[in-house]
Amino acid sequence: MAHIGEQDGITIGSYWEASVGEIKEDRQLVGEARFDVAIVGAGYTGLSAALRLAEAGLSVCVLEANRVGWGASGRNGGFCCTGGTKRSDAQLISKFGLEEAKRFLAYQLEAIDTVDDRLARWNLDADRHSKGEIILAHRPRDYAGFAAEAAFQEETFGVEAAVLGPDALKERGLGGPEFHGGLHLPYGFALNPMKYVQALAAQVRRRGGRIFAHTPVTQFEQEGPNWRLATRYGSVQAEKVILAGNGYSRENAPNWLNGRLLPVMSSVLVTRPLSNVELNDQGWTSDLMAADTRILLHYFRLLPDRRMLFGTRGGIFETPDSLKAMRARGRADFDRMFPAWAHVEADHQWHGHVCLARDLSAYVGAVPEMDGVFASLAYHGSGIAMSSLSGEKVADLALGRITQADLPAVISRPLRRFPFPALRQLYLQGAYWAYGLKDR
Ligand SMILES: Cc1cc2nc3c(=O)[nH]c(=O)nc-3n(C[C@H](O)[C@H](O)[C@H](O)COP(=O)(O)OP(=O)(O)OC[C@H]3O[C@@H](n4cnc5c(N)ncnc54)[C@H](O)[C@@H]3O)c2cc1C
């Protein structure tokens, strides 16, 4: 049965929810409270920051409008990989210089290691699989460019990327009519994102951090050296605040966020488990996580229980009709790319917000003109690893353990407002139309 999801405002209808069973409900904040640090948002960013601060001995609370993992952290594709920008390596080098581009890659790899290290320390399997990631050429001309890209990666960054031709793809169980060759990148792995975020919350609670669910922050007010955050049934006073709402942030909490973020939809379907015959009919038996070369990319992987997960970018408006159309488009793309599975039911289908910014890169740092307020936001659709490390880094900034100069320049530029923010979605509609043409 396909779930439309979110009927009760809390349930997403995702496969991840179904796979973790009952999710712990934290209490709602009622009345007044005081903490050293208040964090807005209980996804990977907010919880990673909370864990760091609780470990440093500070009193910390996480204020969440819904519940732990309700945002993108409980909805994503589970690709723990590089990310945090929509700029290509060549664009990063041209804008920030080679040394900063290298520094940013090192940060992304440290981010993947952060998640890897946590899973090991917490003895959490999280349904992990896949060694690295493969990019699949959706056109012969994209495959033709892979050899040069692999050489560039090796010479510039020392990354050993491997090129696979069409026959090698088939031999590796990566078959499909639209896959004309592959570029394997050696870093990253896949996991169950909900298991990871729930485990992260459990660590925060264990260290004495408080998580308040159903507690939307609606207003910010400065009171001397402190901030007062108004919530539905109370308020929190704190000297330091960390904004970790990403694509679910409220534009007026605080007002600084107004016009600086651009949430965009991504949708995911997960099929029922596939039989051996069905896997062989399609020629897809690999557990490698994969994405295609489209700008409006698809991402997909065979889960350990042999369900296929398939994600599509795109979709701008969140009205029932446009969501329905987005899901239908996702299903049609799946049927075209995996024709042997066109008859296979999708047990789960859901969507979530990824978060873009005007400069096409995440921001981790202080909020200008709001003393004591910090933010880590806008991971551009690849934030499992980035938000895990950046949550720690933004906590380190709040603690005064590091300064902005200790972070890569790529993620140190405060979010700029979009020109004519009310038209953000229209710009995007135009861009999507152009990208759709380019992807052909
Ligand atoms: C469908 C989809 C697929 C994705 N696939 C991948 C992938 O495969 N790999 C990858 O690396 N990344 C992926 N991402 C992106 C990744 O999930 C996010 O970058 C990451 O989860 C961001 O974590 P976060 O903690 O910053 O934000 P979120 O997890 O979105 O959490 C923000 C939380 O803040 C809360 N909040 C916001 N404002 C307020 C307020 N005023 N008061 C109280 N609470 C508030 C929200 O309720 C929400 O729970 C995907 C995202 C989506 C939507």
Side-chain angles (χ1 to χ4, degrees), residues 41 43-45 64-65 71-73 76-79 217 248 299 352 379 381-384:
Y44 306 133
T45 305
E64 166 56 50
S73 300
N76 62 66
F79 287 50
V217 174
Y248 289 93
Y299 48 98
Y379 307 108
S382 297
I384 298 177

Side-chain angles (χ1 to χ4, degrees), residues 23-43:
I23 292 175
K24 180 174 165 48
E25 279 294 338
D26 293 286
R27 261 191 44 214
Q28 185 174 37
L29 174 73
V30 179
E32 312 285 301
R34 215 210 109 71
F35 290 88
D36 294 329
V37 185
I39 297 171
V40 184

Side-chain angles (χ1 to χ4, degrees), residues 40-47 63-82 215-218 244-250 253 264-268 299 313 350-355 376-387:
V40 184
Y44 306 133
T45 305
L47 294 167
L63 305 168
E64 166 56 50
N66 297 287
R67 67 178 181 195
V68 165
W70 179 88
S73 300
R75 300 174 187 237
N76 62 66
F79 287 50
C80 181
C81 53
T82 53
T215 302
V217 174
T218 52
N246 206 41
Y248 289 93
S249 300
R250 293 175 178 225
V264 177
M265 249 57 74
S266 183
S267 101
V268 180
Y299 48 98
R313 289 271 182 261
W350 70 94
H351 74 281
H353 295 186
V354 304
C355 187
S376 181
L377 304 156
Y379 307 108
H380 290 79
S382 297
I384 298 177
M386 276 300 279
S387 61

Side-chain angles (χ1 to χ4, degrees), residues 325-345:
M326 177 174 71
R327 284 161 194 235
R329 256 196 331 270
R331 179 70 215 206
D333 289 358
F334 175 80
D335 293 350
R336 201 189 60 242
M337 291 167 71
F338 298 96
W341 298 338
H343 67 286
V344 172
E345 306 83 23

Side-chain angles (χ1 to χ4, degrees), residues 77-271:
F79 287 50
C80 181
C81 53
T82 53
T85 183
K86 274 282 173 240
R87 291 185 194 274
S88 66
D89 288 330
Q91 287 168 337
L92 291 176
I93 292 169
S94 130
K95 188 158 180 68
F96 297 97
L98 180 58
E99 283 319 303
E100 280 298 337
K102 283 185 178 172
R103 198 172 166 214
F104 183 52
L105 177 62
Y107 186 89
Q108 294 172 78
L109 299 184
E110 185 186 346
I112 294 171
D113 288 345
T114 300
V115 181
D116 184 29
D117 181 56
R118 286 177 180 177
L119 298 187
R121 266 188 296 126
W122 303 342
N123 201 16
L124 180 74
D125 172 60
D127 308 329
R128 179 181 172 148
H129 67 91
S130 187
K131 287 200 168 74
E133 180 179 16
I134 190 149
I135 312 301
L136 296 170
H138 76 286
R139 295 172 297 206
R141 71 168 187 267
D142 296 308
Y143 170 51
F146 278 173
E149 177 62 24
F152 170 79
Q153 288 293 330
E154 166 95 60
E155 281 157 25
T156 317
F157 299 115
V159 168
E160 283 181 28
V163 178
L164 279 81
D167 291 340
L169 283 188
K170 283 192 191 117
E171 272 162 35
R172 299 266 304 254
L174 296 157
E178 291 195 6
F179 308 141
H180 299 278
L183 183 68
H184 179 260
L185 299 166
Y187 29 68
F189 57 90
L191 49 57
N192 178 321
M194 188 63 106
K195 286 190 179 168
Y196 173 48
V197 74
Q198 296 302 332
L200 184 50
Q203 293 291 327
V204 171
R205 295 183 197 108
R206 217 164 66 84
R207 300 279 176 173
R210 292 298 306 273
I211 303 171
F212 294 106
H214 313 294
T215 302
V217 174
T218 52
Q219 218 187 326
F220 275 58
E221 257 177 50
Q222 193 154 23
E223 286 182 354
N226 293 320
W227 290 95
R228 182 177 291 281
L229 276 53
T231 65
R232 189 177 285 149
Y233 297 116
S235 72
V236 168
Q237 225 194 16
E239 202 179 320
K240 303 250 164 82
V241 177
I242 292 174
L243 307 179
N246 206 41
Y248 289 93
S249 300
R250 293 175 178 225
E251 297 241 307
N252 63 343
N255 286 330
W256 177 76
L257 285 174
N258 190 9
R260 293 178 203 270
L261 298 174
L262 176 50
V264 177
M265 249 57 74
S266 183
S267 101
V268 180
L269 70 77
V270 168
T271 68

Side-chain angles (χ1 to χ4, degrees), residues 22 53 61 214 231 365 409 415:
E22 204 169 324
L53 292 161
C61 71
H214 313 294
T231 65
L415 299 171

